[in-house]
Amino acid sequence: MNLTIEHEYEEFLTLQRRMGDDLRFIMALGKIIYELKYINDYALGISRITVEFDLAPDMKLLKTLRLNEMFSFVISMLEDIRDVYLDKDSQRAHKVFKKERKENEISYNTNSIISYLLKNEGDIIEQSLLLLSVIENVERVGDLITNIAQKIIFFREAV
């Protein structure tokens, strides 16, 4: 109930033209900072897992799980939201949503791939579990970046 009232209050205030632009900017910026903090936390988690990786990762496993593609999508999404914010072109934010869908597709297939590999190649259990954690963290970063894109659209277009 309180969240509904808060949401309606925010919506009312942000749509008032005189102060709405400034208020939308402040609200969006506060929420973007919050999302960036969590991106930092997930990046720290990924780096800790990477440090725990005491052995050279199986390159075939990395390729099968498409981990490099996931990282590329996430880095590209970060670059997109930076450009969207700096160029004041909220239409470009929609590119982030398309990339997130592709990144989610990779992540979605991870469990079945790892399950298959564990049944057939038991010597990669530790690596598989660590990489599963990395993939989950990367996927979450993609979600947070998408949230930022939504906040930028809210700020720029008042929707």
Side-chain angles (χ1 to χ4, degrees), residues 5-44:
I5 292 170
E6 181 180 328
H7 176 72
E8 288 177 11
Y9 175 72
E10 286 177 0
E11 188 173 315
F12 171 76
L13 284 177
T14 57
L15 294 177
Q16 300 305 309
R17 193 66 188 153
R18 283 183 281 155
M19 69 177 189
D21 291 344
D22 292 338
L23 187 56
R24 268 194 312 280
F25 174 73
I26 291 167
M27 289 174 60
L29 191 58
K31 291 176 182 181
I32 288 169
I33 290 169
Y34 179 80
E35 303 289 358
L36 289 171
K37 179 212 173 294
Y38 279 106
I39 288 172
N40 181 64
D41 292 346
Y42 282 104
L44 183 60

Side-chain angles (χ1 to χ4, degrees), residues 2 4 9 19 21 33 55 69-70 72-73 87-88 99 114 122-124 133 140 159:
N2 285 343
T4 303
Y9 175 72
M19 69 177 189
D21 291 344
I33 290 169
L55 50 139
E69 278 183 74
M70 285 189 76
S72 294
F73 278 125
D87 297 343
K88 299 178 181 178
K99 289 178 183 176
I114 288 180
D123 60 328
I124 58 168
S133 293
R140 186 65 188 124
V159 290

Side-chain angles (χ1 to χ4, degrees), residues 52-101:
E52 286 180 29
F53 234 125
D54 230 8
L55 50 139
D58 183 305
M59 298 311 285
K60 178 184 169 196
L61 180 60
L62 292 176
K63 186 174 181 169
T64 302
L65 295 174
R66 299 170 62 189
L67 191 57
N68 285 341
E69 278 183 74
M70 285 189 76
F71 276 112
S72 294
F73 278 125
V74 167
I75 290 168
S76 176
M77 290 165 69
L78 276 170
E79 291 169 349
D80 287 342
I81 61 166
R82 178 202 59 211
D83 293 346
V84 165
Y85 181 79
L86 293 175
D87 297 343
K88 299 178 181 178
D89 180 7
S90 59
Q91 290 304 312
R92 289 179 52 199
H94 296 281
K95 289 171 52 176
V96 171
F97 305 135
K98 290 179 184 176
K99 289 178 183 176
E100 189 208 13
R101 283 193 292 277

Side-chain angles (χ1 to χ4, degrees), residues 42 46 49 67 70 103-104 107 110-111 114 128-143:
Y42 282 104
I46 292 168
I49 293 167
L67 191 57
M70 285 189 76
E103 182 244 353
N104 284 342
S107 176
T110 300
N111 287 338
I114 288 180
S128 297
L129 295 176
L130 289 172
L131 287 173
L132 183 60
S133 293
V134 169
I135 288 168
E136 288 172 350
N137 283 327
V138 172
E139 197 271 331
R140 186 65 188 124
V141 168
D143 293 342

